[in-house]
Amino acid sequence: MTHIPANTPPAPEESSEQSVHRLEAQRRANRDAIAALGIDPYGGRTVDLMTIVEARSKFDEEANAAHQAAGKAPPPGYVDRRPVVKVAGRIVLKRDGGKLMWMQIRDWTSGPKEAPEGLAPASDGSATRPLEPPAHDLQVAVSLADVAAPGFDLSKSLDLGDVIIVTGPIMKTKAGEVTIWASRVEMACKSLAPPPEKWKGLHDVEIRYRRRYIDLYANPETMRAFMLRSRLASLIRRFLEAREFVEVETPTLQVQAGGAAAKPFQTHLNALGIDLFMRIAPELYLKRLLVGGMPRVFEWSRNFRNEGMDKSHNPEFSMIELYEAFGDYNTMMELTESLFRECAKEVAGGADDLRLPFGEWMIDFGSTFVRVTYGELFERALGFPMTDAARVVQEAKRRGLPVVSKTGTPLDPILIVNELFDVAEESIDPSRPTFVLDYPAPLCPLTRPKKSNPSVAERFELFVGGMEMANAYTELNDPDIQEAKFREQLAGIGEDESTFRNFDEDFVYALKVGMPPAGGLGIGIDRMMMVLLNQRTIRDVILFPMMRPV
RNA sequence: GAGGGCGUAGCUCAGUUGGCAGAGCAUCGGCCUUUUAAGCCGUUGGUCCUGGGUUCGAGUCCCAGCGCCCUCACCA
């Protein structure tokens, strides 16, 4: 779909009747009719509201049966004990039967459509019907006899998409559906824009992303996913706080964008007359906090990387980075596994089975995560050890990978190994969360080497569902080695990169002040949410993903 | 960046060999106090993504562009 249609407001200078879409014009007329009843079409502060789920839970079978038994002429002394509820919701269906209207209203708790759990006999016993309606929207009945003026006249002028507040006893209809039998109907807000089709809903993915506010109410599954993401974010914070990590905030606007190798966004600070970068990682600031004596820190960091966009990359994305003084990559591995498992438990809703669907796979968060070293994985996937330089070069040539640099000098074999390692990564079972650990030291210049084997860096990456989820290190805290590695990196970059790669002298100075040994970890939160919420594209876990402007 | 697919009413979608622009829902009018995507009768609504071209005639064929989706490439 292309055009974002005509229900956008007209520019002021052309707001003639003709420029307003006919469907909007009709809704404006209905709004005027509501105003003419003395009702504010945009409502006001409202107290004592409950959600649709709460209202539904108030239903009392006995009180409902007693009320039915009392009939139209209740005996003296009869008291209606059906609980009275008050609910706000958006109208998604309306059936006007003249003096009796039926509506379905929806709020954020209504929940997605589900397959009926079974069939129940119809009232005459001759046929069957679904036990529950397809969506958990709440039915409202508006009867001329029972709704106080001007609620009935208001209801006549309501359009699909309006938000209303309904008060009345919660009861069950003859057909067995829990319903508010309205005594009051009030206006919360008028909707001037035509809603999506009532049954097929909103499918156009472009409109879903650009106009998430429609997607959220029109597709309860979208609401469910983002509500769950929020619950998981809260859980992650509580998990880290329970382990005595403190949440900090460090600069998003940075003089130099460090801590990762990515192209940054550039901006300008007028007050100081200087160019700045949006951060690509919070790493170097968080480590400064360890130098200062904070024992365990984490940041929920929005990072900005000026690179490609695809189903696992958005230009701005969320990452948790954390540092633990006196930890190392082993403590980070334990923490990572526990964190993912706790999140999976939350998604599973208390079930023992922690296998969660992700596309065609069932990802097993319950079993111990697979641990495999870089070298083992390489040999298993390629069929020869990465130390076999001749086979490495031979295999790279066979796959058309470069074995000499642009200047014609032979590439370091370890760099060729790293090219071939993509093949190894693809051999990881997507349904088994897998730690790949002990990377070759030359590939990880900023990581502490193993004391027992300096050719191996204490680093791991976690792969889940075919994606890189997390990256952790035993951090380097020797200022001289850090400085040398920085200079080495700077020497090896091209001119285009040199504009935003700088030597962070202050960070090296911080290490001279002294940083305790530490473990560091970064988790790509959006990708983590993808596998936990079973969403195959990052745009389905980001409320407002980057879109080309229309 | 390369290849492929898609773009038609507010929404969801058809549209045959190039021959009057279609359906369902929504809207609007009428009937209806237990409906369940309510029903019945009637009604309105179009920049066929944009701009060129071929043709007597283009939603359809050709060229260019725009947007979205998919695959691949790039991507600490």
Side-chain angles (χ1 to χ4, degrees):
Chain A
M1 254 323 267
T2 26
H3 68 287
I4 290 289
N7 49 7
T8 37
E13 66 270 19
E14 56 181 57
S15 63
S16 67
E17 284 298 316
Q18 291 177 331
S19 68
V20 176
H21 191 275
R22 65 196 161 83
L23 294 173
E24 181 179 329
Q26 183 57 48
R27 284 163 178 267
R28 287 180 179 274
N30 289 338
R31 185 179 66 176
D32 293 345
I34 289 166
L37 294 169
I39 296 169
D40 183 346
Y42 294 104
R45 178 180 172 181
T46 306
V47 296
D48 299 330
L49 286 171
M50 58 180 79
T51 65
I52 282 176
V53 162
E54 284 169 334
R56 205 180 275 285
S57 72
K58 298 281 184 206
F59 173 72
D60 182 332
E61 196 76 59
E62 275 183 35
N64 189 60
H67 188 80
Q68 279 183 338
K72 288 197 172 170
Y78 168 74
V79 179
D80 184 355
R81 297 192 188 281
R82 296 174 304 173
V84 170
V85 299
K86 184 176 179 184
V87 171
R90 198 178 286 272
I91 303 169
V92 294
L93 282 176
K94 189 183 177 196
R95 299 182 287 276
D96 187 345
K99 299 189 187 69
L100 177 64
M101 273 173 275
W102 301 93
M103 292 184 276
Q104 303 278 350
I105 60 172
R106 178 177 298 176
D107 74 5
W108 64 279
T109 67
S110 295
K113 291 176 182 178
E114 291 167 0
E117 290 171 18
L119 296 174
S123 49
D124 64 358
S126 65
T128 57
R129 57 166 187 78
L131 276 173
E132 292 292 332
H136 287 172
D137 303 321
L138 184 59
Q139 179 165 267
V140 174
V142 180
S143 164
L144 177 61
D146 296 315
V147 174
F152 190 82
D153 291 328
L154 163 64
S155 299
K156 281 286 175 190
S157 293
L158 291 173
D159 289 307
L160 296 181
D162 293 354
V163 179
I164 56 171
I165 298 153
V166 182
T167 308
I170 188 88
M171 49 80 73
K172 231 179 213 183
T173 62
K174 279 182 192 169
E177 180 160 358
V178 173
T179 299
I180 303 181
W181 196 267
S183 55
R184 272 175 78 90
V185 178
E186 298 166 276
M187 199 66 189
C189 63
K190 186 69 201 168
S191 175
L192 296 178
E197 207 267 351
K198 69 181 184 184
W199 185 244
K200 305 239 176 172
L202 178 66
H203 280 193
D204 188 315
V205 293
E206 187 174 351
I207 296 179
R208 286 186 48 229
Y209 296 147
R210 290 187 191 273
R211 294 191 161 155
R212 187 70 90 182
Y213 42 90
I214 300 176
D215 185 33
L216 280 168
Y217 96 78
N219 295 314
E221 182 58 38
T222 302
M223 179 67 84
R224 188 198 71 89
F226 284 107
M227 285 295 176
L228 192 46
R229 174 173 176 144
S230 182
R231 286 226 313 272
L232 292 169
S234 170
L235 183 152
I236 291 167
R237 284 194 162 95
R238 278 181 279 124
F239 176 95
L240 292 174
E241 284 163 4
R243 291 182 175 228
E244 297 177 326
F245 282 84
V246 293
E247 180 165 8
V248 296
E249 292 162 282
T250 66
T252 299
L253 295 174
Q254 302 183 345
V255 174
Q256 38 195 334
K263 290 193 188 111
F265 288 90
Q266 290 179 271
T267 185
H268 183 80
L269 174 59
N270 292 334
L272 299 185
I274 55 171
D275 290 333
L276 291 173
F277 298 101
M278 310 282 284
R279 74 165 160 217
I280 55 175
E283 172 163 347
L284 300 183
Y285 281 99
L286 294 176
K287 285 181 178 170
R288 283 171 167 94
L289 299 178
L290 294 193
V291 171
M294 289 190 178
R296 295 174 182 191
V297 296
F298 78 93
E299 180 162 12
W300 195 284
S301 170
R302 187 71 68 93
N303 296 340
F304 307 85
R305 296 188 180 176
N306 205 344
E307 294 180 344
M309 291 168 55
D310 60 36
K311 65 182 182 177
S312 61
H313 295 82
N314 197 61
E316 55 180 302
F317 64 101
S318 294
M319 173 172 282
I320 286 270
E321 252 187 50
L322 59 89
Y323 293 86
E324 177 180 16
F326 304 107
D328 67 4
Y329 81 139
N330 288 301
T331 57
M332 294 296 101
M333 211 177 314
E334 185 279 326
L335 184 149
T336 304
E337 183 165 354
S338 297
L339 180 60
F340 272 79
R341 190 160 296 123
E342 287 304 309
C343 288
K345 281 182 189 167
E346 178 76 10
V347 174
D352 290 335
D353 187 353
L354 292 185
R355 287 176 303 158
L356 299 179
F358 181 59
E360 62 199 276
W361 303 297
M362 291 298 289
I363 297 185
D364 181 6
F365 290 102
S367 307
T368 302
F369 290 7
V370 175
R371 284 162 171 77
V372 59
T373 68
Y374 187 98
E376 286 166 359
L377 187 64
F378 183 96
E379 184 164 355
R380 206 164 66 199
L382 278 301
F384 55 90
M386 63 180 179
T387 49
D388 187 340
R391 295 282 304 272
V392 165
V393 170
Q394 182 190 345
E395 183 68 15
K397 281 181 177 166
R398 195 178 71 76
R399 293 176 183 271
L401 297 169
V403 294
V404 293
S405 73
K406 286 169 190 166
T407 55
T409 53
L411 276 181
D412 187 330
I414 199 65
L415 295 177
I416 305 174
V417 165
N418 200 38
E419 292 288 328
L420 288 172
F421 193 72
D422 287 347
V423 178
E425 282 181 9
E426 285 164 17
S427 74
I428 296 170
D429 180 353
S431 65
R432 291 296 308 278
T434 299
F435 291 112
V436 177
L437 49 140
D438 293 350
Y439 281 61
L443 296 176
C444 314
L446 304 184
T447 307
R448 221 33 192 242
K450 253 190 178 0
K451 288 181 183 176
S452 60
N453 179 2
S455 71
V456 167
E458 294 198 337
R459 172 192 182 187
F460 73 76
E461 290 198 18
L462 173 65
F463 291 84
V464 186
M467 287 184 292
E468 184 189 329
M469 286 286 142
N471 194 4
Y473 308 89
T474 299
E475 301 294 345
L476 187 65
N477 60 344
D478 179 327
D480 292 340
I481 297 176
Q482 177 76 69
E483 177 168 353
K485 298 294 186 187
F486 267 160
R487 297 207 182 281
E488 208 172 282
Q489 273 199 327
L490 281 170
I493 61 176
E495 196 169 323
D496 54 330
E497 279 188 81
S498 64
T499 54
F500 51 82
R501 288 268 182 277
N502 286 298
F503 179 73
D504 192 337
E505 287 184 39
D506 181 74
F507 178 69
V508 173
Y509 187 80
L511 293 187
K512 285 183 187 169
V513 171
M515 186 181 87
L521 167 68
I523 299 175
I525 290 295
D526 303 294
R527 290 180 184 176
M528 181 185 189
M529 294 296 171
M530 286 170 67
V531 296
L532 289 168
L533 305 182
N534 190 18
Q535 301 293 336
R536 295 310 304 276
T537 89
I538 201 166
R539 288 181 160 187
D540 286 327
V541 299
I542 293 175
L543 279 167
F544 298 99
M546 180 58 62
M547 299 288 282
R548 192 181 296 274
V550 281

